[in-house]
Structures are given as C-alpha cells and as structure tokens.
Amino acid sequence: MHELGEVTVTEPEIIDFACRYDPRPMHTDPAAARALPFGGLIASGWHTAGLFMRLFSTQVLNRARSLGSPGVEELRWLRPVRPGDVLRGRYEVLDVTPSGTDPTRGTVRGRGEMLNQHGEVVLRLVARNHFSRRPV
Amino acid sequence: MHELGEVTVTEPEIIDFACRYDPRPMHTDPAAARALPFGGLIASGWHTAGLFMRLFSTQVLNRARSLGSPGVEELRWLRPVRPGDVLRGRYEVLDVTPSGTDPTRGTVRGRGEMLNQHGEVVLRLVARNHFSRRPV
C-alpha cells in the first residue's frame, strides 16, 4: 500500500470545479444545497476523483514512465465530501501484466482510495495504467 | 439515445485542468508532449470525463430531481483528445430500478459517450444515478 499524501478540500475549489464540470446546485450553491438531500454543499464526485488523480500523478505516475491509461473498471463515491475535509490518498497494486506484444511495456491494475479525516473511505477506484518496463 | 450537445476542447483548458488535477507533461507541456507516446498534447482522461459531465449535468440531471450517484461501473478512454477537438455527448438509458425501500426514489443505469469530430468514440462510461420519481 502506497500512501499518496493529503489534500484539503475548500469551498471555493468545490464551487469552481463544479461550475466548470458539474454545474448542479448541490455542488455550486451553498444556500440552495442546505435544502437538498446532503444538507449542504458537497464536492462533485468527479472533483474528488481529480483530487485523487492529482496525488496519484504526482506520487506515482511522474516517478515512473507512464504511457497512459485505458480506463477504470470501477469508480465508487461512498460518502459525501464537504468543505474543510482533509482527504488522503492511497494506492495498492493488484496485479502486473507484461504486454503480450511489446516486451518493453506492461500494465498495472491497482486500487486507489481517498479517505477523509475520520478515516472513512469516500472514493474507491480500480484502474489500469500502462508503463514502460525497466530493462531487466 | 439523448444527444447532449457539443463542446470544443482548447489547449489552455487542457493545460489548466491538468495543472490542477493530472499534472503530467503529456497533459501540461506541449513541447515535451511531442516526444511522448501520443506525439503531442492530449487531454487528461479525467478532463474529458468532466466535459461529458458538464453536458450530462446541464442536459439531463438539472432537468430532473437528481439525488446523486453511487458511482460508475466502467470508464474507458478509447482515443486521445487533442486541442481543437469538438466533442459531442450522448446518453442512453440502460435500465431503471425503483428503490426497494423508498417508493419515491429510483436508480437509472445508463451509458454515456463522447465522440470527436470524426465520429470516433473517445470516452465511454456506464453510470448509475439516483432520482426522485414523478408522482404516479
């Protein structure tokens, strides 16, 4: 398990992200959000995914020779993320598969999670990433 | 199938998104990206997902009583997205399940896609969204 570090979620960033990419009152309007199901402003799930990715890119992908990703098998938003929450990321390799056609490449399948300051998992994903392999 | 409209992808927005949420040279540095596998700057896959979500929130979720989403079953990045690409979104309902515990709610499972100006699918996802049901 790799610890990826922490990020603090702010209300201005929640609103800014959502105005661009998920413009719904529960993510953009603190007053309106109080009357909505979560009882207050919550981050777009795509924003939380972006915050995970910020940590994962910085701590993992930029330290290897990342060749991109074909996608995500599963992406779950398990709890709401609110202004002031401090999220920490972690990542665990599930399996590693050398390319069948190019011996210089391989694919890593791994599980990423974001946890809040109460230790609750707020986001979980399972993704595949392609890498250049180290020379043997 | 619901058509969700179009969005043009610009180089400044690709770089701005990636500096915040996916800071890797293939997404942030046009000169460095020329020597990387995709031969030029490409959008973060999370940025493309955000652009889909912008269309989906505006055209679908904000026209219903959206109650949030538990997650995405599958998220695939099928082709690179480059500056100047014009993406259009579409969405298809796969199935609708009334809540087993609350007759005022239900869950819609649907497939979303983004296609580029050549008609190629660049992103596909299958997501679940909770909604308030219309009174019968």
Side-chain angles (χ1 to χ4, degrees), chain A residues 68-111:
Chain A
S69 167
V72 170
E73 290 175 22
E74 183 191 13
L75 170 58
R76 296 274 291 152
W77 296 300
L78 299 164
R79 289 171 186 271
V81 173
R82 300 180 190 275
D85 280 355
V86 180
L87 305 183
R88 66 186 174 91
R90 62 187 186 191
Y91 177 74
E92 183 176 18
V93 171
L94 297 176
D95 48 64
V96 178
T97 310
S99 166
T101 55
D102 181 345
T104 69
R105 299 183 173 206
T107 301
V108 176
R109 191 168 145 271
R111 180 190 299 118

Side-chain angles (χ1 to χ4, degrees), chain B residues 5 8 10 21 29 40 50 52 59-60 76 87 91 103 105-106 119 126 130:
Chain B
T8 299
T10 69
Y21 299 112
D29 184 336
F52 171 80
Q59 299 297 320
V60 177
R76 297 272 292 152
L87 305 183
Y91 178 74
R105 297 182 175 207
V126 175
H130 300 314

Side-chain angles (χ1 to χ4, degrees), chain B residues 45-67:
Chain B
W46 297 97
H47 183 192
T48 309
L51 293 172
F52 171 80
M53 198 62 203
R54 180 196 295 171
L55 299 175
F56 185 59
S57 291
T58 308
Q59 299 297 320
V60 177
L61 297 180
N62 277 343
R63 296 180 177 186
R65 291 180 61 191
S66 163
L67 300 174

Side-chain angles (χ1 to χ4, degrees), chain B residues 1-2 10-11 28 49 51 55 66 86 90-91 103 106 108 119:
Chain B
M1 184 80 75
H2 303 272
T10 69
E11 182 172 298
T28 60
L51 293 172
L55 299 175
S66 163
V86 180
R90 62 188 188 191
Y91 178 74
V108 176

Side-chain angles (χ1 to χ4, degrees), chain B residues 96-109:
Chain B
V96 178
T97 311
S99 166
T101 55
D102 181 346
T104 70
R105 297 182 175 207
T107 300
V108 176
R109 192 169 144 272

